[in-house]
Amino acid sequence: MNNKGITITYWITTIFVAFVGFSGILNILQLESLVKVNRELGLPQYLMPFLGTVKVLGAIAILIPALKKLHEMAYFGFIFYFIGATYILIANGGGIDKYGVTLLIIAATIISYLTFLKRKEIHFLNRNHK
């Protein structure tokens, strides 16, 4: 994949992951429909604002690569969060129709991170060849 393809892939997946992260606002607001879903999954309601805040902060960190340490930690946090979500959905008897979205989010997060690393490597190589 060339530089342009890497950049396009990076931004598409990164914006998708950030959008998912900003959906944490709905958790912070504790919308009744989400409260009901979390209750059905056996999750306590008091976790909702915390998880929502973590998702929003992760989205901000992913969109601002200058936050070097937080940037990479945010990627790890999203992977950890959505592996946990996938596990909870499977443990509650959900089929692929229930956890397929979380697998898509995990894949997008991994692709975003790998293309981030590739862009960083290309930038480093270009800077050292000048």
Side-chain angles (χ1 to χ4, degrees):
M1 190 181 305
N2 62 22
N3 290 351
K4 187 175 182 179
I6 291 168
T7 299
I8 291 169
T9 303
Y10 168 75
W11 280 111
I12 289 171
T13 56
T14 302
I15 289 169
F16 174 73
V17 172
F19 177 76
V20 169
F22 284 119
S23 74
I25 291 169
L26 302 175
N27 293 79
I28 295 168
L29 297 174
Q30 297 190 47
L31 297 179
E32 186 55 41
S33 59
L34 285 177
V35 170
K36 182 181 175 195
V37 168
N38 283 347
R39 196 176 306 123
E40 289 171 1
L41 293 173
L43 299 172
Q45 184 176 344
Y46 62 81
L47 271 181
M48 287 181 65
F50 171 74
L51 293 176
T53 301
V54 169
K55 283 169 64 178
V56 170
L57 292 175
I60 292 168
I62 283 175
L63 289 174
I64 305 174
L67 301 170
K68 292 177 185 6
K69 295 281 184 191
L70 294 177
H71 187 77
E72 297 213 8
M73 288 171 30
Y75 277 113
F76 173 77
F78 275 118
I79 295 293
F80 185 79
Y81 180 95
F82 286 103
I83 287 173
T86 304
Y87 174 80
I88 289 168
L89 291 167
I90 292 170
N92 278 282
I96 189 76
D97 60 314
K98 300 289 185 198
Y99 62 85
V101 172
T102 57
L103 293 177
L104 174 68
I105 295 167
I106 291 167
T109 304
I110 291 169
I111 293 167
S112 174
Y113 180 66
L114 292 176
T115 54
F116 164 75
L117 292 177
K118 189 68 174 167
R119 290 177 75 227
K120 195 163 101 172
E121 176 187 325
I122 290 167
H123 176 73
F124 177 77
L125 292 173
N126 288 340
R127 192 177 68 193
N128 286 337
H129 281 65
K130 289 183 181 181

